[in-house]
């Protein structure tokens, strides 16, 4: 039992204050704009600048709260638990058994890197939140982070935390000390880099990412907050003058604006995924990435439930794919993890085979019969036809152009049908389907939580069905499905899942804890 308590680094106060101030940037800008458009003000000075005084007090309170969190936060190791206590007026205690800890995720922000520190997030299997970690150590030294990891590894391997309280015999104490020394030695092992993104991969990821949508949505949200402060009459007057320059100039300016937004999204994605590496360390996958903010995520191999190779149409055209794993031990972002954000498809198979030797990563061979083909586009065509008819009626004759969508919807449905395929192996199920991107899902039989076969009235008439496979993904489930497959094939899936091979053991969700 250890009675030594440890403190967070003083940078904790700076990081917590900076994080809160970042959230207050939006209100501060609005405050400045509001005061800027009011013109001259009368009355005592403290009433004229009351908004700024209140905002200054909020900043001061934020700084004080950051200092309080640093000074009043302790953690220590005791009785096979990581224990923490925090708070000034209300002392909050949190005890986390080592057996519940699934991983320790590290982040190095700008302030952390200046002082060789890390932020540690403690991920557990029973976390109650879908976004927040079970516990967070805002800023500790890397040596302290290694100490936490060593304590957890020793407890999991030997179930030993200090000398036994029931006996003080010298022989037992020496034996325990030797076991602890051996545990530390076992922790320090060579690591193996199984994947790293090349410069070409990183550039392709950045240029084809969806970051532009995040920037545009953020701009829309910001503008909606200050729409009452925008001088629309002046803007419309300026716009009227600007229109006189001609449609070509306006088009060029719009395209230039989108180019700037796209370049910002490219820069954000490049910085976030810079130096992306996947390292195999003992039985854990260590994922590191980032330039300005370095992140380190740990994924226990025995918690991985399935592997998905995703290819959107643009990336598929150039032979690129993204590899995603679902983990039973994570939550939020740490449950559905991009193991390989982007790489040539022929490059991902070899490292995947090395990490998951029990899986066969060949493409599925069984295609769907023609029986369910029309279900992929029939209902969509009816919806589009009704919408196109309404548009054509109200906006005749230009509304007739909406009918162009009919062959597009039909072609997309055929595309989805031609993509769907599956393979059933003795201990593995492989499924391929398409939303817009093509997904190929590889799942071991003992990882499947449940399997469902759904049929509506029209399915039963044509003897087709939709089959859904559920696996654990953090606190929820991942549910890949093959739609409109032959009924007898779906029943074959169910029979395969229900069949128990003699001596076969099924992995429980808490395996490895």
């Amino acid at each position: 039992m250890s009675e030594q308590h440890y403190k967070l680094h003083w940078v904790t106060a700076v990081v917590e204050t900076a994080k809160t101030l970042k959230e207050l940037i939006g209100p501060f800008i609005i405050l400045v704009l509001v005061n800027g458009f009011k013109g001259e003000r009368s009355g005592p000075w403290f009433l004229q600048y009351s908004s700024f005084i209140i905002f200054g007090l909020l900043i001061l309170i934020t700084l004080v709260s950051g200092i309080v969190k640093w000074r009043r936060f302790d953690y220590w190791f005791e009785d096979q638990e990581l224990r923490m206590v925090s708070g000034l007026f209300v002392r909050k205690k949190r005890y986390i058994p080592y057996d519940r800890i699934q991983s320790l995720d590290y982040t190095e922000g700008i302030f952390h890197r200046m002082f060789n520190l890390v932020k540690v997030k403690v991920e557990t299997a029973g976390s109650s939140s879908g976004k927040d970690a079970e516990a967070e150590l805002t800023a500790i030294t890397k040596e302290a982070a290694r100490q936490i990891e060593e304590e957890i590894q020793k407890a999991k391997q030997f179930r030993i935390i200090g000398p036994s309280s029931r006996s003080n015999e010298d022989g037992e104490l020496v034996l325990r000390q030797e076991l602890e020394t051996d545990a530390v030695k076992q922790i320090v092992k060579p690591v193996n880099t199984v994947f790293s993104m090349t410069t070409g991969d990183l550039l392709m990821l950045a240029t084809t990412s969806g970051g532009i949508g995040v920037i545009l949505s953020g701009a829309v949200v910001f503008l909606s907050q200050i729409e009452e402060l925008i001088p629309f009459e002046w803007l419309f007057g300026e716009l009227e003058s600007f229109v006189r320059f001609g449609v070509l100039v306006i088009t060029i300016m719009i395209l230039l604006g989108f180019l700037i937004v796209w370049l910002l999204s490219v820069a954000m994605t490049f910085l976030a995924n810079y130096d992306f590496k996947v390292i195999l360390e003992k039985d854990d996958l260590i994922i590191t990435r980032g330039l300005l903010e370095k992140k380190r995520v740990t994924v226990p191999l025995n918690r991985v439930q399935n592997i998905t190779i995703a290819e959107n149409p643009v990336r598929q055209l150039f032979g690129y794919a993204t590899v995603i794993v679902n983990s039973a031990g994570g939550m939020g972002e740490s449950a559905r993890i991009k193991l390989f954000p982007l790489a040539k498809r022929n490059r991902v198979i070899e490292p995947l085979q090395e990490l998951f030797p029990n899986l066969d990563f060949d493409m599925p061979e069984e295609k769907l019969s023609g029986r369910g083909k029309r279900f992929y586009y029939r209902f969509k065509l009816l919806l589009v036809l009704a919408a196109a008819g309404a548009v054509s009626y109200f906006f005749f004759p230009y509304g007739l152009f909406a009918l162009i969508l009919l062959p597009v919807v039909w072609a997309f449905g055929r595309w989805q049908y031609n993509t769907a395929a599956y393979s059933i192996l003795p201990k593995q199920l492989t499924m391929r389907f398409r939303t817009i991107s093509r997904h190929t899902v590889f799942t071991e039989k003992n990882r499947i939580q449940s399997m469902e076969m759904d049929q509506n009235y029209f399915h039963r008439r044509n003897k087709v069905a939709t089959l859904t496979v559920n696996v654990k993904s953090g606190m929820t489930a991942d549910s890949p499905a093959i739609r409109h497959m032959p009924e007898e094939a779906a029943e074959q899936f169910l029979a395969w899942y229900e069949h128990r091979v003699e001596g076969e053991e099924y992995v429980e969700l808490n395996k490895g804890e």
Side-chain angles (χ1 to χ4, degrees):
M1 179 180 297
S2 173
E3 297 182 356
Q4 182 178 359
H5 288 213
Y6 301 92
K7 291 281 189 182
L8 301 178
H9 195 274
W10 63 265
V11 169
T12 299
V14 180
V15 172
E16 290 295 327
T17 302
K19 182 170 65 175
T20 305
L21 290 179
K22 184 175 67 173
E23 297 173 354
L24 294 176
I25 288 177
F28 178 74
I29 293 175
I30 295 174
L31 185 66
V32 172
L33 291 173
V34 169
N35 283 271
F37 283 99
K38 281 186 177 180
E40 297 183 0
R41 292 174 290 267
S42 60
W45 67 270
F46 54 85
L47 291 179
Q48 296 180 28
Y49 298 97
S50 58
S51 299
F52 287 102
I53 293 173
I54 294 173
F55 197 81
L57 290 174
L58 288 176
I59 294 177
L60 181 61
I61 293 172
T62 300
L63 178 60
V64 171
S65 66
I67 295 174
V68 168
K69 178 171 183 180
W70 161 52
R71 295 294 298 173
R72 301 292 290 171
F73 190 102
D74 296 319
Y75 70 93
W76 69 98
F77 313 104
E78 186 176 337
D79 293 338
Q80 296 189 12
E81 293 177 333
L82 173 61
R83 298 188 172 185
M84 289 163 283
V85 59
S86 61
L88 180 60
F89 300 108
V90 178
R91 298 288 280 172
K92 181 179 180 181
K93 296 181 179 180
R94 180 171 294 176
Y95 297 167
I96 306 177
Y98 289 152
D99 286 346
R100 283 185 54 205
I101 296 176
Q102 300 301 316
S103 65
L104 300 175
D105 296 341
Y106 303 143
T107 303
E108 297 179 52
I110 296 176
F111 293 111
H112 294 91
R113 298 177 70 179
M114 291 172 61
F115 298 93
N116 200 28
L117 306 172
V118 293
K119 178 174 71 175
V120 180
K121 288 186 176 181
V122 182
E123 302 279 7
T124 66
S127 302
S128 59
S129 171
K131 296 181 179 179
D132 298 328
E134 179 75 18
E136 181 178 288
L137 305 177
T138 306
I140 61 175
T141 63
K142 292 184 178 180
E143 183 62 33
R146 282 194 292 269
Q147 181 186 6
I148 296 174
E149 191 169 352
E150 290 174 3
E151 291 283 350
I152 294 172
Q153 291 294 339
K154 285 191 295 184
K156 287 187 175 182
Q157 292 179 16
F158 300 99
R159 298 295 190 269
I160 295 175
I161 302 295
S164 173
S165 60
R166 291 180 293 178
S167 175
N168 290 324
E169 297 180 1
D170 293 340
E172 183 178 354
L173 291 177
V174 171
L175 175 60
R176 289 184 180 277
Q177 290 174 359
E178 290 177 352
L179 287 173
E180 288 185 358
T181 303
D182 292 340
V184 175
K185 289 181 179 178
Q186 289 189 24
I187 291 172
V188 182
K189 283 190 173 183
V191 296
N192 176 26
T193 301
V194 296
F195 176 81
S196 60
M197 291 189 68
T198 65
T199 304
D201 295 340
L202 191 55
L203 289 174
M204 175 62 74
L205 175 66
T207 54
T208 59
S209 70
I212 187 171
V214 176
I215 296 176
L216 290 177
S217 61
V220 170
V221 171
F222 175 75
L223 291 175
S224 66
Q225 297 295 322
I226 62 170
E227 60 180 354
E228 296 181 358
L229 309 176
I230 300 176
F232 285 107
E233 294 183 2
W234 176 80
L235 286 177
F236 288 143
E238 293 295 321
L239 182 61
E240 184 179 357
S241 301
F242 182 67
V243 169
R244 297 171 186 171
F245 284 100
V247 177
L248 179 61
V249 175
I250 296 176
T251 303
I252 292 175
M253 296 297 293
I254 293 174
L255 293 178
L256 184 61
F258 275 105
L259 177 62
I260 293 174
V261 172
W262 176 74
L263 290 175
L264 286 175
S265 71
V266 169
M268 290 171 54
T269 306
F270 188 90
L271 294 174
N273 293 278
Y274 181 81
D275 195 28
F276 188 101
K277 289 181 180 178
V278 178
I279 300 170
L280 179 61
E281 184 176 341
K282 296 180 65 178
D283 295 326
D284 294 331
L285 290 174
I286 311 297
I287 302 174
T288 60
R289 63 183 177 91
L291 181 60
L292 298 179
E293 183 181 57
K294 296 187 67 175
K295 293 188 177 182
R296 179 180 184 268
V297 177
T298 302
V299 184
L301 275 174
N302 58 13
R303 308 294 295 183
V304 174
Q305 302 301 295
N306 65 9
I307 296 96
T308 301
I309 297 179
E311 305 161 85
N312 72 29
V314 176
R315 294 173 178 174
Q316 184 181 350
L317 184 64
F318 293 96
Y320 282 88
T322 299
V323 177
I324 302 169
V325 297
N326 280 288
S327 172
M331 54 185 180
E333 293 182 356
S334 62
R336 186 171 175 83
I337 302 162
K338 289 185 178 180
L339 186 62
F340 308 153
L342 196 68
K344 283 286 188 179
R345 201 184 189 290
N346 54 13
R347 278 188 60 217
V348 304
I349 300 301
E350 184 176 348
L352 283 176
Q353 199 67 70
E354 179 183 351
L355 295 174
F356 308 99
N358 295 330
L359 286 173
D360 184 348
F361 289 97
D362 290 337
M363 288 295 100
E365 299 176 351
E366 296 291 332
K367 302 284 290 184
L368 302 186
S369 69
R371 197 186 309 163
K373 182 190 303 183
R374 59 181 175 272
F375 286 94
Y376 276 90
Y377 52 79
R378 185 171 64 180
F379 183 67
K380 297 174 187 175
L381 283 176
L382 291 175
L383 289 179
V384 173
L385 182 60
V391 171
S392 299
Y393 177 79
F394 288 106
F395 299 97
F396 185 85
Y398 300 106
L400 294 174
F401 285 106
L403 297 175
I404 298 176
L405 292 175
L406 292 175
V408 173
V409 170
W410 176 84
F412 181 69
R414 287 295 302 268
W415 195 25
Q416 289 182 311
Y417 163 76
N418 291 330
T419 300
Y422 63 91
S423 287
I424 300 179
L425 301 177
K427 295 184 178 182
Q428 176 186 329
L429 175 63
T430 304
M431 307 168 65
R432 188 176 70 201
F433 56 92
R434 181 182 295 279
T435 50
I436 294 177
S437 298
R438 184 174 75 170
H439 300 268
T440 308
V441 184
F442 305 89
T443 311
E444 286 189 81
K445 184 178 182 179
N446 53 15
R447 302 291 185 180
I448 299 175
Q449 300 301 302
S450 63
M451 190 175 288
E452 305 170 5
M453 186 179 80
D454 299 321
Q455 287 180 294
N456 58 35
Y457 171 75
F458 299 102
H459 279 158
R460 289 191 294 270
R461 284 189 58 185
N462 292 273
K463 294 185 177 181
V464 297
T466 293
L467 189 101
T468 304
V469 176
N470 299 304
V471 300
K472 189 72 174 174
S473 178
M475 304 299 293
T476 58
D478 181 54
S479 305
I482 295 183
R483 299 181 297 122
H484 319 312
M485 67 187 307
E487 182 182 61
E488 60 272 17
E491 291 175 347
Q492 181 186 2
F493 273 73
L494 295 176
W496 168 84
Y497 180 59
E498 293 171 357
H499 178 60
R500 298 293 192 271
V501 179
E502 185 177 353
E504 183 178 12
E505 296 182 357
Y506 285 78
V507 178
E508 298 180 357
L509 283 181
N510 60 357
K511 179 181 177 182
E513 295 184 5

